[in-house]
Amino acid sequence: MPDAVAEALARLQQVEPVLCAFHEVFDTFAPVDPSLPFAGMPIAVKRGERRSHREALMAMGCVPIGLTTTPDKSTPWQTWGRNSRGLTRNPWNLDRTPGGSSAGSAVAVASGVVPLATGVDGAGSIRVPAAWCGVFGLKTTSTERAAVGVLTRDPELLATYLGVEESRSPTAVWSTDLGFAAVDDEQAEIAWRAAAPLRPRPVPLRLEDPAADWYAGRCRRNPVLDSLFESADLLLTPTTPGPPHGHDGPGARINTALTWAFNLSGHPAISIPAGFDSEGLPVGLQAVARHGREADLVAAALLTSSAVEVAPWPP
């Protein structure tokens, strides 16, 4: 067993009774070729994720240590981490949710169990937990509504995961609300400050609320976004309209209001740690790129990460 895997399992035993991030912990591990880019690196795998994604990471040398928790069928889909094993808790405030549905993966990374965890983003299911747990959460370009991706505290790992070698400074524009969402002032202010290294230009963007298309299952190109990306590499927004809610559920608020449009349009997107609000809860900055331009998301993560400390819980 690689030393890093043993350390991850020891950390898991320490925090798991409190945080409930894992559905299953593995007890056997295959040998790893030391020449691989992620040789011996422990990862957590989202329960129910596509096997091909897990196998691709194993081919890079990753060692899965377990399956993370997801909301079960008794739970409303909206960013609520309750499951059959109990409450998956936000490391920064145990009375708050870490988000969903990649709840356990976000917690496993935020609590320092693993440096990387997999996720599937169907409406913001990677980006929302990443924002609320204070880690990076990337969803890749997809022609389907749900896209695979990863969560990490280290943006350099994103570059290796994607095979990104180029480095450039992308151009960026900013929208607080995409033209329709109700966003808390504090969320917007913290995300805007974190975006400063990218020098974004505010634009009067007005997207249609994607709710109707979402519930009808319509995935299609968005001409407003196509036009925007003719002159900018990145669209920046807050990741969520508000802070993580309690374990009693989200109420009427749609916490995916700023994320799900990009599942329908297929654009790659990332949540970047932006800092903490007045209650000490993490806030996320969302960056959205052209189709196939995950490299610009990595550049944004690297450029902004120096301004915000991303420390594992407990601090």
Side-chain angles (χ1 to χ4, degrees), residues 21-46:
F22 283 82
H23 172 77
E24 178 184 354
V25 179
F26 303 148
D27 55 12
T28 58
F29 309 97
V32 176
D33 180 347
S35 67
L36 295 173
F38 282 147
M41 189 177 75
I43 64 167
V45 176
K46 180 179 179 179

Side-chain angles (χ1 to χ4, degrees), residues 260-287:
W260 58 351
F262 309 111
N263 293 87
L264 297 179
S265 67
H267 289 89
I270 189 173
S271 181
I272 297 168
F276 295 85
D277 68 12
S278 56
E279 294 186 90
L281 295 165
V283 176
L285 165 67
Q286 177 177 227

Side-chain angles (χ1 to χ4, degrees), residues 127 139 173-175 177-180 203-210 213 219-237 257-269 286-291:
R127 288 162 289 160
K139 96 165 185 76
V173 296
W174 168 269
S175 173
D177 58 10
L178 299 179
F180 65 85
V203 292
L205 181 64
R206 299 200 65 83
L207 297 184
E208 291 186 13
D209 188 329
D213 282 342
C219 297
R220 56 190 179 188
R221 296 188 72 94
N222 187 307
V224 176
L225 293 175
D226 287 344
S227 176
L228 181 145
F229 284 123
E230 289 178 359
S231 59
D233 299 315
L234 296 173
L235 167 62
L236 307 179
T237 76
L258 295 165
T259 56
W260 58 351
F262 309 111
N263 293 87
L264 297 179
S265 67
H267 289 89
Q286 177 177 227
V288 185
R290 298 183 181 96
H291 294 101

Side-chain angles (χ1 to χ4, degrees), residues 1-10 40 42:
M1 179 190 301
D3 291 344
V5 172
E7 292 170 4
L9 293 173

Side-chain angles (χ1 to χ4, degrees), residues 4 45 47 56 90 107 136 138 175 190 211 215 221 235 247 262 285:
V45 176
R47 179 190 180 197
N90 190 309
V107 172
F136 295 90
L138 169 82
S175 173
I190 294 170
Y215 290 115
R221 296 188 72 94
L235 167 62
H247 294 292
F262 309 111
L285 165 67

Side-chain angles (χ1 to χ4, degrees), residues 76-95:
W77 66 270
Q78 297 167 291
T79 60
W80 194 11
R82 185 184 299 275
N83 59 77
S84 59
R85 293 194 59 242
L87 296 173
T88 301
R89 298 183 182 276
N90 190 309
W92 299 101
N93 184 324
L94 301 180
D95 293 329

Side-chain angles (χ1 to χ4, degrees), residues 132 176 271:
W132 286 353
T176 297
S271 181

